[in-house]
C-alpha cells in the first residue's frame, strides 16, 4: 500500500495527463502522417503532457526497432574480487 500523499500525487498526475490528452486535437502532417496540436493557436488549454507521452512512445518504438531493448545473455562465469 502506498502512502496517501504519494498515491494522491499519482492520481493528480494521471488526471493531468488525461486532461491534456482530451485537450489535444489530431492534425494532418503531410500525406501519411498525423500529429497533435491545440484546437487553435491562442487556446489556453494545455497539451504538454500529451505531447510528452507521444514522444516517449515514439522513442520506445525506435529503441525496440533498433534492438536496444533486447536483453544480453549473461555469462555463467563467476567473477570474484
Amino acid at each position: 500500500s502506498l502512502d496517501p500523499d504519494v498515491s494522491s500525487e499519482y492520481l493528480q498526475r494521471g488526471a493531468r495527463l488525461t486532461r491534456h490528452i482530451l485537450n489535444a486535437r489530431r492534425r494532418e502532417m503531410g500525406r501519411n502522417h498525423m500529429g497533435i496540436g491545440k484546437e487553435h493557436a491562442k487556446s489556453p488549454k494545455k497539451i504538454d503532457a500529451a505531447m510528452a507521452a507521444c514522444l516517449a512512445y515514439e522513442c520506445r518504438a525506435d529503441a525496440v526497432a533498433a534492438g536496444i531493448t533486447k536483453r544480453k545473455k549473461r555469462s555463467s562465469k563467476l567473477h570474484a574480487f
Side-chain angles (χ1 to χ4, degrees):
S1 151
L2 291 173
D3 180 17
D5 292 335
V6 173
S7 62
S8 70
E9 181 181 343
Y10 285 119
L11 287 172
Q12 289 172 355
R13 287 182 183 178
R16 181 179 303 132
L17 177 59
T18 300
R19 188 172 58 250
H20 285 211
I21 288 174
L22 293 173
N23 289 341
R25 300 290 181 255
R26 287 189 296 180
R27 300 282 182 241
E28 289 189 28
M29 309 286 289
R31 262 180 90 164
N32 298 321
H33 300 286
M34 293 295 284
I36 64 171
K38 291 185 169 191
E39 51 189 355
H40 56 82
K42 302 269 184 182
S43 175
K45 297 179 179 178
K46 296 185 179 199
I47 63 164
D48 300 338
M51 182 58 78
C54 289
L55 291 172
Y57 184 83
E58 189 171 347
C59 286
R60 182 194 177 280
D62 290 346
V64 169
I68 294 173
T69 60
K70 292 181 182 172
R71 292 184 182 209
K72 294 179 182 174
K73 187 175 181 180
R74 291 185 177 184
S75 68
S76 59
K77 296 179 184 177
L78 176 63
H79 297 282
F81 297 98

